[in-house]
Amino acid sequence: MARVSIERLGVRSVSDFNVEMVERKGVGHPDYIADAVSEALSLGLCKYYLKEFGVILHHNVDKGLVVGGRANPRFGGGEVLEPINIIVAGRAVTEIKTSKGVKSVPVEEIVEKTAKNFIRKNFRFLDPDRHVKVTGMVRCGSQDLVGIFNLRKRSPLANDTSFGVGFAPLTATERLVLETERLLNSKKLKKELPEVGEDIKVMGLRLKDKVNLTVSAAMISSLIPDPDHYMSVKEEVKRRIEDFAAKIVGNLEVNVQVNVGDKPRSGIFYLTVTGTSAEMGDDGNTGRGNRINGLITPCRQMSLEATAGKNPVSHVGKIYNVLAKLTAEKICREVKGVREVYVKILSQIGKPINRPQMVNVQMLPEKGYSLTNIKADIKSIVVEEVANVSRLTDLILKGRTELF
C-alpha cells in the first residue's frame, strides 16, 4: 500500500491571486508537434509490439526535435523552400530473439509512418511528403532499464525515480485559455474561417478581475489575397473569441488581442504557407510545451517531465503525471468541500508502480469545511487510484486521456 500524506494547502487559491498567468500551445505549434510525434511513435511501437509479440516492450522515445524549414509566404500564394526536419530519438527494443531466429523491429519505418500520419491528420496545408523530412534516431535501450522493464510480475516496475504532479479544478482563466485554442483549431471554425492555420498560441494574463488574452494565430497565405482581407479575418477571430469568452468567464472582463506582432505599415503580417511557424520562424522540442493538463501554468505546482513518448507501462514520468491529474480531478469531483487540490506522486526505480514512495495531497477546503472532515474520503480515493494504476496503460493506448 502506498504511503499517503494529506495536508492543508498553506496558500490562497490561485483564483484569489492578484496575478495569474496561463499559456497553451496549440496543435500546430512546433513544441506541440514535437510532443505529438514522440507520442505517436510510442503508440506505434506499442501496437507493433502487441501485434507481433503480445506484450508492450521497453521503449522511451521522448527526445524529439522539430527543426524549422524555410518558406516564402506571400498574399495569395507562397511556397516552402526547405522542408521541416522532424527528428525523433530515444531507446527501444529493436530486435527480438525467437525460436525462428532474431526478428528486427522496423523502427525507422514506424517513425516515418507515425510522424507523417500525425501531420496528415492535423494539418490542411502542410504536406507530410513534400514539406516534412522525418529522421529516426532510436537506438536499443540500455540493459539495466530493459531488465527492469522485463522483470515485472503482477505490477510493472518503475524504470525511473521521478514524480508526477496533478491539480484540480482549473481556474476560469485556465479554462478560457484552453478552450480558446480548441475553438480556433475546431473543425467548425476551420470550415468557416479556413484562413486560420493550426499554429495557435494563447497566453492569458489575469490581473484581479481583468483578463488580457494574447492570441497568436498563423494565417494561410494562399487564402488571403491582400492586407485588407488579412485584417478582416484577424478582426473576425478577435470577435469570435470575445463572444466565446463571455460564455466561459462571465464575471471577468476579457480583452483580446490577436497577432500583436503585426506591423501593417511595414508590411509585416503573420502569414504562413503551411499553417505552422515551423516552416521558417520557430523550432520545437518534446517536453517544452504543455503539461499534463494541456496548459503551462507557472502559478501552479507542476512537473517538468515530458509525458510524450515515454512508454505507458513502466515509465512513471508519464504514468504518475496522468495518475496525479486523474486523482486530483476525482477528489474534486467526489469529495464535497474541496476548493483546490494538488497531488504529487514519487516513485523509486525498480519498485512496483502501484507502491510509490509517497503520495502527497495538499488541499484547500471550502469555507465551512476542514481537513479533518474530508481526509478519510480523500485517502480512500488515493489508495484506490494508486492500486489500479495499471489501468492507465489501456487508457493511454486508446487516447482517452490528455497528455499535453
Side-chain angles (χ1 to χ4, degrees):
M1 179 173 155
R3 285 192 293 175
V4 181
S5 169
I6 303 173
E7 57 188 328
R8 193 185 193 283
L9 191 63
V11 296
R12 294 177 297 159
S13 169
V14 173
S15 297
D16 294 333
F17 289 3
N18 286 335
V19 175
E20 181 184 8
M21 303 174 194
V22 185
E23 181 181 4
R24 163 78 175 172
K25 294 177 179 178
V27 69
H29 190 284
D31 288 331
Y32 192 106
I33 294 172
D35 279 334
V37 169
S38 289
E39 183 59 19
L41 174 56
S42 172
L43 293 177
L45 287 170
C46 287
K47 290 174 183 177
Y48 182 88
Y49 290 147
L50 285 169
K51 180 182 178 182
E52 297 295 326
F53 310 114
V55 63
I56 297 174
L57 298 174
H58 173 79
H59 67 276
N60 295 314
V61 287
D62 55 352
K63 306 298 186 295
L65 178 64
V66 175
V67 182
R70 288 195 308 121
N72 178 35
R74 61 180 180 277
F75 287 113
E79 52 275 328
V80 174
L81 304 174
E82 186 177 330
I84 298 165
N85 194 354
I86 298 177
I87 303 167
V88 187
R91 299 287 162 174
V93 172
T94 56
E95 57 182 35
I96 298 292
K97 291 182 180 178
T98 69
S99 57
K100 298 179 180 180
V102 177
K103 182 176 177 63
S104 296
V105 178
V107 176
E108 299 298 319
E109 179 183 321
I110 297 172
V111 170
E112 182 162 2
K113 181 180 178 181
T114 54
K116 290 190 173 183
N117 280 347
F118 165 76
I119 299 295
R120 197 170 285 114
K121 181 179 178 181
N122 291 280
F123 289 86
R124 297 160 298 150
F125 296 91
L126 182 64
D127 187 323
D129 297 316
R130 294 189 301 122
H131 301 152
V132 176
K133 177 185 177 183
V134 180
T135 304
M137 301 188 71
V138 179
R139 304 294 182 257
C140 184
S142 65
Q143 287 302 307
D144 56 338
L145 293 182
V146 174
I148 288 172
F149 192 87
N150 292 334
L151 278 173
R152 66 190 187 279
K153 295 180 181 178
R154 291 187 178 180
S155 178
L157 307 181
N159 75 338
D160 196 6
T161 300
S162 185
F163 61 85
V165 182
F167 63 83
L170 296 182
T171 65
T173 309
E174 289 165 345
R175 291 198 311 274
L176 176 60
V177 169
L178 183 65
E179 296 302 330
T180 295
E181 185 275 328
R182 288 175 173 171
L183 167 74
L184 296 182
N185 268 325
S186 66
K187 290 182 179 179
K188 182 176 185 295
L189 187 129
K190 291 294 190 275
K191 184 177 180 180
E192 296 170 353
L193 287 176
E195 299 95 333
V196 179
E198 287 75 21
D199 193 345
I200 306 292
K201 177 179 171 180
V202 183
M203 181 70 76
L205 168 64
R206 179 180 59 78
L207 182 58
K208 295 184 178 179
D209 59 353
K210 296 180 180 179
V211 178
N212 187 48
L213 215 55
T214 304
V215 178
S216 175
M219 299 293 184
I220 305 296
S221 59
S222 60
L223 301 181
I224 302 176
D226 52 51
D228 287 342
H229 188 103
Y230 178 95
M231 297 304 293
S232 68
V233 172
K234 180 173 166 176
E235 284 302 311
E236 180 62 15
V237 169
K238 180 177 184 293
R239 185 191 66 78
R240 292 195 183 209
I241 295 172
E242 288 171 342
D243 291 345
F244 179 75
K247 302 171 186 176
I248 301 290
V249 288
N251 62 324
L252 295 175
E253 179 184 329
V254 179
N255 174 52
V256 179
Q257 296 176 290
V258 179
N259 291 357
V260 295
D262 290 345
K263 299 290 185 292
R265 291 183 179 179
S266 301
I268 298 173
F269 303 89
Y270 190 8
L271 288 176
T272 64
V273 178
T274 62
T276 172
S277 61
E279 70 179 32
M280 189 164 71
D282 202 1
D283 307 300
N285 286 100
T286 299
R288 193 175 176 272
N290 308 318
R291 301 297 93 196
I292 186 65
N293 50 18
L295 297 166
I296 301 169
T297 50
C299 297
R300 300 282 203 168
Q301 302 172 15
M302 58 183 180
S303 168
L304 293 182
E305 281 275 7
T307 54
K310 291 178 167 65
N311 80 71
V313 176
S314 70
H315 205 308
V316 288
K318 177 181 226 142
I319 297 165
Y320 277 9
N321 274 300
V322 176
L323 180 61
K325 173 180 179 282
L326 296 181
T327 301
E329 291 175 345
K330 188 172 184 180
I331 289 171
C332 257
R333 189 170 62 247
E334 298 186 5
V335 180
K336 192 174 181 181
V338 174
R339 184 179 182 190
E340 190 171 293
V341 63
Y342 295 86
V343 177
K344 296 189 286 291
I345 309 174
L346 175 64
S347 69
Q348 192 171 48
I349 191 168
K351 299 297 177 64
I353 61 171
N354 62 358
R355 294 181 61 188
Q357 281 197 75
M358 175 62 69
V359 180
N360 176 231
V361 179
Q362 294 178 310
M363 57 79 64
L364 190 66
E366 296 277 7
K367 189 176 181 180
Y369 290 85
S370 69
L371 178 60
T372 304
N373 302 139
I374 55 183
K375 188 172 184 178
D377 292 336
I378 292 174
K379 184 173 183 179
S380 177
I381 289 173
V382 170
V383 170
E384 180 183 6
E385 292 298 300
V386 170
N388 294 319
V389 62
S390 290
R391 74 181 177 88
L392 299 183
T393 299
D394 189 57
L395 210 64
I396 293 167
L397 289 179
K398 292 179 178 177
R400 293 181 179 172
T401 182
E402 187 173 44
L403 296 174
F404 43 85

